[in-house]
Amino acid sequence: MAEQKQFEPLIIGFTCNWCSYRAADLAGMSRKKYPPNVRLIRLMCSGRLDPTFVLKALKGGADAVMITGCHPGECHYLEQNYKAYRRYILLKRMLKQFGVEPERVKLIWASAAEGVRLADEITKMVEEVRALGPLNWTAVASPNGDHPVQGGHPIHLELKEEAVA
Amino acid sequence: MKYSYYPGCSLERNAGAYHESAMAVAEPLDIEFVEVNDWNCCGATEYMALDLLPAFSLIGRNLALAANQNSNGNNHLVAPCSACFLNLSKTDRYMRDTPELAEQVNAALAAGDLHYEPGSIRVRHLLDIIVNDVGFEAVAEKVNKPLYDLRLAPYYGCLVVRPVRKTPFDDPEYPTALDKLLKTLGATVVDYPLKAQCCGGHMTQIKEGTALEIIRRLLKNAADYDADAIVTLCPMCQLNLDAYQENVNRHFGTNYKIPILYFTQLMGLAFGLPAGKLGFGKEFVDARPALAKIGVAPPKESRKKRDKKALPMPVMPEEV
Amino acid sequence: MTEERIGVYVCHCGTNISATVDVEDVAIWAGKELEDSGVVVSREYKFMCSSLGQELIQDDIKEKGLTRVVVAACSPHLHENTFRTACDKAGLNPFLCEMVSVREQVSWVHTDKVAATQKAKALVFGGVERVALHEPLEPLSVPINETTLVVGAGIAGIQAAIEIADSGFPVVLVEREPSIGGHMAQFDKTFPTLDCSACILTPKMVTVGDHPNITLMSYSEVERVDGYVGNFTATIRKKARYVVEDVCTGCGICIEKCPAKVIDDVFEAGLGYRKSIYRPFPQAVPKYPVIDTESCIYFQRGKCKACQIFCPTQPNSIDFEQEDELVQVDVGNIILATGYDLFDSRRIPQYGYGRLANVFTSLEFERMCNASGPTNGAVVLRDGVTEPKSVAVIHCVGSRDKNYNNYCSVICCMQSLKFAHLVKERAGPKTEVYNFYIDMRTAFKDYDEFYQKVLGEGVHFVRGRVAEVTDAARLPGEEGKIIIQAEDTLIGKQRRIPVDMVILSAGLEPRADSKEVGHKFGISCSTQGFFTEKHPKLDPVATMTEGIFIAGCAQGPKDIPASVSQGAAASARVLGRIQQKELALEPVRASVIEENCSGCRICNTMCPFNAILFHEDRMVTEINPALCQGCGTCVAACPSNAITGTQFSNEQVLAQLEGLLMLAVNGGRVLEPEMA
C-alpha cells in the first residue's frame, strides 16, 4: 500500500479568551464538525499576539497560522484588537518579503456567538492550505534561495488587499 | 463648469420649454452644456419592458458617445429628464455590476465602432448639478426678481429619487432639494405629502381611467394645500399633469387650473430673464394668472398671536 | 529537562470524550513519552470534575509531590475554577494547574478517531510544556470603598440607591436633569395596573431626597472617572442652577413671575411650555428651580431679574453669579442607570410626525394624558380644544425595522394598549380606536389579561404594518382626516382608515451619548448602542469591567418591573462586594522588568485602561497592577522584552506552541523543530 497519503496541513490557531475561544467552544457544543488540522492556543486577547509567535509557529513546522479575535468595536479590552490588526497587516507584508504565501496567515474576527462560522472558516482554511502544500520553512528562508518550495503553487508575489473575514 | 448634455427626445419637442429655460439659466450660472453628438432616444420606459438587451444597448450607445466626447476631463453627463436620467444611470450601474452584460452591450456597440467602459461616465440629473455643484448660495446671488407671494408646490415624481441609489442625492420618501431651491428663489414652498408620488407615467396610454385618477390625486393635493403652481423636473410628469388636466376636470367634474412649470423656468423668472426666453406660453394650463401673483415686496412676517389653547408643533430638524 | 513533577489527567467525560478520543491511549502515551518533559503520573478517569476525580489529583499532589497539574477535559471556561480550587485545597497553588480542552475542541468536533486522538495528544503535549513554566500566583487584594456612585436617577437608579442606602452604606446619586424621576415621571398611568405613575414614583423620590445616606447631586454630570474597582475617583460637574439651595424654600414665586416662556422639549416632550426659571414638574426632587440661560432675559439681554426681585427669602435665593462646581468623590463601585432616549419619529417621514398636526409620539401622548400636563389630562387634538372621534395607535415605530432599529422595544405593545384604553376613558367609549400591530407582545404577569380587557372595550386591532399616514384624501369620507393606509394581513386587503388623531408608539433607543459615557466608565456598548452586560443570560447587571454595573433601560429596553429588578440586582451585587471589604482580582497582569526597559514608551499608548505610567525621572515605564486588566497588548508591543505577562508570558506561549507542533496531524512525530 504505497499510496501517497494526502498532505495534512498543520495549522496553529491563536484565539482570544473572550470571543473567539468561546466561539470555538460553541462550535464544540453545537457539535459542528471541522477538520482536525487546527490546534488552538488561548491568549487573553488578540492584542497579546506577538508577531514573533506566528513566525516561530511557521518555522517550527506549522504550515499556516490562524489569528482570531473579537470583532472591531467589541474587544473585551476595548480596542486591543485594532492593535492586533495593525500588527497583522505589517506581518503579512513581511511574510511576502520572505516568500511565504500570504494565504498562510489569516485573521478572522469571530464573536462568541459565531461558533458555526468559525468552524466553517477553519474548514475553508484547511483546504486552502492543503492546496498550497507544506510550507517547508527552511527552504523558504534559505539564504541561497535555490531550494524550491516543495509541492503546492508558486509563490504569489502580489499582496491582495484581502478583506478581513 | 462644463458638462456633457443629453437632452432626450422630450426636450426636443413637447418639453421644449424645459430645454429653453435650462439653456437660459445656464449662462448666468456659468454652466456650459455640450450636447452629446448624435445621441439617440433612451427608450423611455417602454423598451426595457420589451427586450432588455437591445434596450441597454440603445442606452449604452449614448454613454459611449458621451465618453468619447469627454474632452475636458469632466466625466459628468447631465440629463434633465428623469426617465433618461434613470435609464442612463441604471445602464451604467448594471454594466458595472454584471460584466456579462457589459460584454454583450459592448459587442452590440462594436457594430458601430463604439465601446463603453462601465463607470467612465457619471450620470447626473439637472437638479442635482444645480443644487450640489452650483449650490444654493450661487443661485441666490443671481436672484434679482424674487418670486415673493408665489406658492409653489415642488413635484419630484418618482424616477429621480427611486430606486434608492448607492449614493442617493435626495431622500427617497421625503426629498427636499427642490423645496430648498424654490425657497432660495424667494417663493413660498408648499410642503404637500404627494410630492414624490408617481404621476402615472405612460398609464395614460394604457389605462386612461386609472391614470386620470392618479393625476387627479396629485392635483387635488396641491390644490388642497393652496398651491399657485406645481413645479416639476420631469417632462413626463409635466405632460401628465398639464396636458391631461382638462381631461381630469371633465372626467371628475373638478375645476383645477394649476399651471405646471419646470423649475428652470422659475429660476429664469427669478433671475430676471424675459418670460419669452423661458418657454412660457407653450403650457396647456395658462401660467399667467399664477405668475401675476408674484409680489414686489417680501411677504410680511405676520406677528401671529400665539393661540393660547393650541399645543406646540414639533420642530422639524434643520435642513443641512 | 524540567525539574517539575507534572501530573496528567485525561477525562472520559462519560463517553463525550472517550467516544472519539482514545483516552486510555492518550494517558499511557503521556506517561511514557512525556517523561522527559516532567510527567511523573498520567491517569484517565470517567469524570474528572466529580469529587472522586478531584481526589485523584489531590491524592497525587500529596503522595507524589506533584508540582504541576494538567487536566485534559472540557473547556476551561467550565471547570478551570473547579480544578484550580481542588489543587488549592491540596496545597498546590491554583495557577499551577492548566486545563486542556479535548472535548469542545476535539471529541465534539472531529469524526476521525485516529486524528482526534493524535490532536488530543498534541494538545496535552502543549499543556505539559506550558505548565512547567507557570509561576505560583496570588490573587491581588484591593480594598473596597464603601461609597457607591449611581449615575442616573430614573426608577432603576432610584431603586438601586435606596437599596444600598437602606443597608447602611453611603450613595452618591448623580442626575443630569434638574430633578430625579427619569422618564417614569413623565408618564400618566403605568400598565397593567393603571397605577398613576407619579403616585408610585414620588414616594421613592421623596425617600431619596430625605435619605441620610444618599447624597443627591442633581443637575450634575460625571465628567471623568479614574481608578479601578474598589477605588474609583469620579469628577462630577455640578452645573450652576443660579439658585442658592441652602436658602431657597421652593415657594415657586420666581417661576410665577418669570415673563419668559419657552417650549419645554425635555419633560413636556415639546407639547407644553415652561418658564425660563423652572422646575421640571411640581413634585420635582429637589424642589429648587433652575434658570435656563438660553431663554433667560437677564442672561441674554441683561434686563428683567424678576425672579430676584420677587424672591422672598433673606438673603436672596437667586444668584446670577453662580458657577459650575467640580466635585470629586471616591467610590468603590459604580452603577450606571442612564435610561433611554425615544426614537425620533421624524426619521420616518411616511408617518407624518412633524408635518401633520395631529400625529403625536408616545411621550407626547403621555404628557397629554397626565393631569399636570399641558391639557390637564384631556385627550384633544393639536388645537388644544377638539376631542378626537377616532384615534389610531401605531405599534413598532422605529422598532423591528431593518431601516431603523432591528430589535423589539419590549414595552410598546403594552403601552399601545394602555393608550387605547386611555383614549376610551378620556375621549369617551364611543371614540373609535384602531391599534395597528405586527404581533401582540404581552408576555409578563397580568399583561395578557390586560390585552383581553382592552379587546373587550371594543378597540379595533388591525394586524399590519402601517405603510403611510397621510392627509391626502381620495374619497369624500377622508376629507379633513388623517388617513392610515395599512394592509390588514388577516383579511388580506389594503385598508384606508380615516382618523382624527394618530399616536406613534416610538421605540426605545440608547441615549445619544451612550458611547461616550461608556468610554468614560470603561465599558463597551453593543452594536445597537446599549451597554454590554457581562453575560446576556447569566449576568445581565455586571459588565466586563470590575466594579461597574448597569441597570434599567441603559442595558436594553424593558418595562418598569424589570428596571426595578435590575436596579435591585445591581445594588445587591454592590452590597456583596462592600461586605467583603476586600476584593480578590485575578492575577493575570503585566509587569515591567525595569532593568530591561529602555524608556522607548511604545507601550504607553497601548493601554485603554490607563494602567501604564511613565516615570520621567527614571525614564522607565511602570504598570499599575490594579488597573491592568491583563490583555497583554503591551507585552507584545515591547521591543526589549521588558514586559512580562503572568499566565501568558512569551516563554509559556512558545512552550505551548512547541508542544503543539511536536506531533504531525496524521501520526508520527515531526522532525525536531528548531525553535531558536
Side-chain angles (χ1 to χ4, degrees), chain C residues 151-225:
Chain C
V151 182
I155 186 62
I158 288 175
Q159 184 70 25
I162 293 178
E163 299 264 356
I164 298 176
D166 278 349
S167 304
F169 295 100
V171 175
V172 174
L173 180 56
V174 176
E175 167 56 50
R176 172 191 294 190
E177 296 298 325
S179 165
I180 62 176
H183 281 294
M184 193 174 165
Q186 294 174 286
F187 301 159
D188 176 35
K189 298 257 179 2
T190 55
F191 55 76
T193 49
L194 295 176
D195 281 317
C196 151
S197 184
C199 306
I200 54 177
L201 178 63
T202 41
K204 292 205 188 228
M205 285 169 58
V206 169
T207 309
V208 166
D210 289 343
H211 209 298
N213 284 337
I214 300 183
T215 307
L216 175 58
M217 297 180 69
S218 62
Y219 208 47
S220 309
E221 275 189 68
V222 176
E223 217 148 81
R224 209 188 132 92
V225 178

Side-chain angles (χ1 to χ4, degrees), chain B residues 39-52:
Chain B
W39 58 266
N40 55 267
C41 170
C42 75
T45 45
E46 272 73 5
Y47 213 175
M48 286 267 181
L50 207 57
D51 200 344
L52 280 179

Side-chain angles (χ1 to χ4, degrees), chain C residues 164-422:
Chain C
I164 298 176
D166 278 349
S167 304
F169 295 100
V171 175
V172 174
L173 180 56
V174 176
E175 167 56 50
R176 172 191 294 190
E177 296 298 325
S179 165
I180 62 176
H183 281 294
M184 193 174 165
Q186 294 174 286
F187 301 159
D188 176 35
K189 298 257 179 2
T190 55
F191 55 76
T193 49
L194 295 176
D195 281 317
C196 151
S197 184
C199 306
I200 54 177
L201 178 63
T202 41
K204 292 205 188 228
M205 285 169 58
V206 169
T207 309
V208 166
D210 289 343
H211 209 298
N213 284 337
I214 300 183
T215 307
L216 175 58
M217 297 180 69
S218 62
Y219 208 47
S220 309
E221 275 189 68
V222 176
E223 217 148 81
R224 209 188 132 92
V225 178
D226 295 301
Y228 49 96
V229 58
N231 300 277
F232 290 109
T233 304
T235 308
I236 302 169
R237 175 179 294 272
K238 276 190 78 165
K239 299 185 279 196
R241 289 183 115 98
Y242 305 104
V243 169
V244 183
E245 294 177 22
D246 296 331
V247 189
C248 174
T249 57
C251 66
I253 292 183
C254 52
I255 302 176
E256 236 182 271
K257 299 292 181 188
C258 176
K261 211 174 191 187
V262 284
I263 293 181
D264 181 353
D265 50 18
V266 177
F267 191 77
E268 296 285 12
L271 208 60
Y273 296 88
R274 61 162 169 80
K275 297 292 182 69
S276 187
I277 183 169
Y278 70 104
R279 257 197 293 256
F281 52 100
Q283 309 99 318
V285 168
K287 58 186 188 253
Y288 314 115
V290 153
I291 296 183
D292 164 27
T293 53
E294 306 262 308
S295 56
C296 171
I297 298 177
Y298 173 72
F299 277 101
Q300 294 298 316
R301 289 181 280 153
K303 304 220 170 87
C304 182
K305 291 203 189 183
C307 46
Q308 193 175 60
I309 294 169
F310 285 98
C311 176
T313 62
Q314 293 290 346
N316 202 295
S317 302
I318 308 286
D319 176 10
F320 293 111
E321 310 304 314
Q322 200 179 73
E323 284 182 355
D324 289 355
E325 211 189 308
L326 281 175
V327 176
Q328 269 199 344
V329 287
D330 290 325
V331 296
N333 293 281
I334 302 177
I335 300 179
L336 288 176
T338 46
Y340 67 89
D341 271 342
L342 197 69
F343 171 80
D344 184 356
S345 304
R346 294 174 302 185
R347 289 169 63 186
I348 310 186
Q350 299 95 302
Y351 286 175
Y353 177 65
R355 292 188 297 123
L356 297 174
N358 292 318
V359 176
F360 297 88
T361 60
S362 40
L363 272 181
E364 281 182 332
F365 189 69
E366 290 279 3
R367 292 312 306 153
M368 191 191 282
C369 288
N370 193 298
S372 50
T375 62
N376 297 322
V379 169
V380 286
L381 298 179
R382 196 68 76 160
D383 62 7
V385 177
T386 322
E387 269 188 350
K389 297 231 176 24
S390 48
V391 178
V393 183
I394 303 182
H395 297 218
C396 304
V397 174
S399 305
R400 304 188 69 192
D401 194 333
K402 264 202 305 234
N403 301 315
Y404 306 103
N405 294 313
N406 245 339
Y407 54 83
C408 167
S409 289
V410 179
I411 52 98
C412 315
C413 278
M414 282 305 290
Q415 178 188 261
S416 306
L417 291 173
K418 178 181 77 174
F419 290 160
H421 170 85
L422 285 172

